[in-house]
Amino acid sequence: MLRSRTRRHVARVMLLACAAAPALFLAPGAARAQGCTPAMAVQPKQLVEAGKLQLAINPTLPPQQFVDSKGELQGLNVDLGNEVAKKLCLQMAFVRMDFPPMIPALQASRFDGIHTGMFWTEERSKLFYMVPYSLQSISIAVPPSSGLKLSGPDDLSGKAVVIEVNTYQERWLRAQSDDMVKRGKAPITIRGFTTATEAMGALRAGQGDAAALLDYMAVDMTKRGMVRTELFRLGGAPSAMAFRDKGVAEAVAAALTALRKEGFYDKLFERYGMTPIPADQPFAIRGTGPA
C-alpha cells in the first residue's frame, strides 16, 4: 500500500513539473550527436544554456507559425529554426510568448534570440544583432465571388482597398496611391481597420473591392476559401531573427547559407508560399548591433 501511494505521489509530482513550464518546446530529436560538425561553432558561453538554442516565438500566425490540433508547433519559422539548430549541432528549444514582452525578455537574457517574423528596422538593429531571413511582401486579395481581375497595382486606381492600419501594407498602399495621383490616375480609396480580422469582415460586408494582406495571410485565407488572391509578392520588407550575442547571430547566418546551398531554404519557402531573401543577397547581420 505504501509503495502504491509513493508511485501515485511521484506521478503527481511529474505531472505538476510538466505543467509548470508550458512555454518551452524542445524539437523532437534535437539533441545533436557528438560527431556533428557545425556550420559555424557556437561557444557554450555565448548561449543562455550550453548546447541549446532557445528562440522566442509567438505561434499565432499560420502558416508562418502556429499550434496544431495536437498542441504542437508548426509552420515555416518552426521548420527553419529546427534545421538551423541542426546545422549548428545544437538542441532547439522554442519559448512561446506574446510579441510585446519578447524584446525586454531578450535584453534580460531569458533566451538567445527572437524568431517570430519580426520586421527589421534600424532602431531594432541597434538593440540586437539582426539577421534578415525572409521578405514580408504584399498580396492583393478579393472576395471569392468577385469579378474584379487585376494584372498589376495600377488596376487598383479608383478602387477601395481595406487594410489593417499602422502596418507595412498600409504604407506600401499609400505610396502606390500617391504615385498614381502623380501620374494623373485616380487615387486608391484606403479604408483602415484596427485589426486584420476587422478588415476582412469589412471586405466580406462589401466595404471594399479588395484587401491588401501580407503574403502568408493571403495564402492561408485563399486555402480556406475566404479570398481569391489576384496579385502576389508586391513590395517587400525584411523580416529578421534577433540575437543578443553577435557570435550566435553569425553562426545562424552561416547555417542559413548552408541550408540555401543545399536547397532546403528555397523549397521550404515555396512550400509555405512565403517570400525568400533574394538569391544574390547573403545572410548576414544587418545593422550595427548594440553599442
Side-chain angles (χ1 to χ4, degrees):
M1 186 67 173
L2 181 58
R3 290 181 179 178
S4 177
R5 289 178 179 176
T6 300
R7 286 195 294 268
R8 288 197 298 270
H9 174 71
V10 170
R12 284 197 298 271
V13 170
M14 292 179 65
L15 182 62
L16 289 172
C18 292
L24 187 63
F25 285 73
L26 299 179
R32 305 274 66 83
Q34 290 184 352
C36 178
T37 301
M40 179 180 288
V42 177
Q43 302 303 318
K45 65 181 181 180
Q46 294 175 313
L47 299 166
V48 171
E49 184 176 343
K52 184 183 296 183
L53 181 62
Q54 299 186 50
L55 300 180
I57 192 170
N58 178 20
T60 60
L61 301 170
Q64 187 164 274
Q65 56 218 25
F66 62 99
V67 178
D68 65 15
S69 58
K70 298 179 181 179
E72 297 178 354
L73 289 172
Q74 303 288 349
L76 181 142
N77 281 346
V78 177
D79 293 347
L80 187 61
N82 286 336
E83 291 302 314
V84 164
K86 288 180 183 178
K87 282 295 177 187
L88 298 180
C89 303
L90 297 173
Q91 186 180 27
M92 184 69 244
F94 287 107
V95 182
R96 284 179 53 183
M97 63 191 305
D98 293 334
F99 180 73
M102 282 186 186
I103 291 178
L106 182 56
Q107 290 175 317
S109 299
R110 285 184 54 193
F111 37 77
D112 301 301
I114 295 173
H115 184 32
T116 196
M118 180 170 63
F119 280 114
W120 182 94
T121 67
E122 187 171 354
E123 180 182 4
R124 287 172 178 166
S125 73
K126 295 177 182 178
L127 298 175
F128 313 109
Y129 298 102
M130 301 191 73
V131 179
Y133 69 97
S134 71
L135 293 180
Q136 296 282 22
S137 298
I138 303 295
S139 284
I140 304 299
V142 299
S145 59
S146 173
L148 182 63
K149 299 294 183 181
L150 304 173
S151 60
D154 276 4
D155 291 339
L156 294 174
S157 174
K159 302 294 191 296
V161 181
V162 301
I163 50 90
E164 179 183 1
V165 295
N166 299 320
T167 57
Y168 168 64
Q169 50 268 40
E170 180 184 11
R171 295 192 298 273
W172 179 87
L173 197 63
R174 292 195 184 281
Q176 296 295 312
S177 183
D178 291 344
D179 181 65
M180 291 174 191
V181 172
K182 290 179 181 178
R183 292 184 284 121
K185 294 179 176 291
I188 301 171
T189 298
I190 300 173
R191 294 177 177 160
F193 297 85
T194 304
T195 66
T197 300
E198 291 177 2
M200 294 310 300
L203 182 67
R204 289 193 294 271
Q207 296 180 38
D209 301 300
L213 304 168
L214 291 177
D215 277 350
Y216 69 83
M217 296 176 63
V219 168
D220 182 61
M221 292 180 180
T222 298
K223 287 181 178 179
R224 290 190 282 162
M226 299 173 63
V227 298
R228 187 182 79 242
T229 299
E230 282 288 308
L231 301 176
F232 189 56
R233 289 188 176 175
L234 304 174
S239 290
M241 302 182 201
F243 300 93
R244 64 183 189 86
D245 184 272
K246 185 177 182 180
V248 174
E250 291 173 338
V252 167
L256 289 169
T257 299
L259 290 173
R260 179 157 62 184
K261 185 177 181 179
E262 294 171 1
F264 174 86
Y265 173 83
D266 289 312
K267 290 179 181 178
L268 182 69
F269 275 77
E270 183 67 27
R271 175 155 61 91
Y272 281 101
M274 295 180 65
T275 308
I277 290 289
D280 60 351
Q281 180 177 322
F283 294 107
I285 295 171
R286 179 175 174 182
T288 60

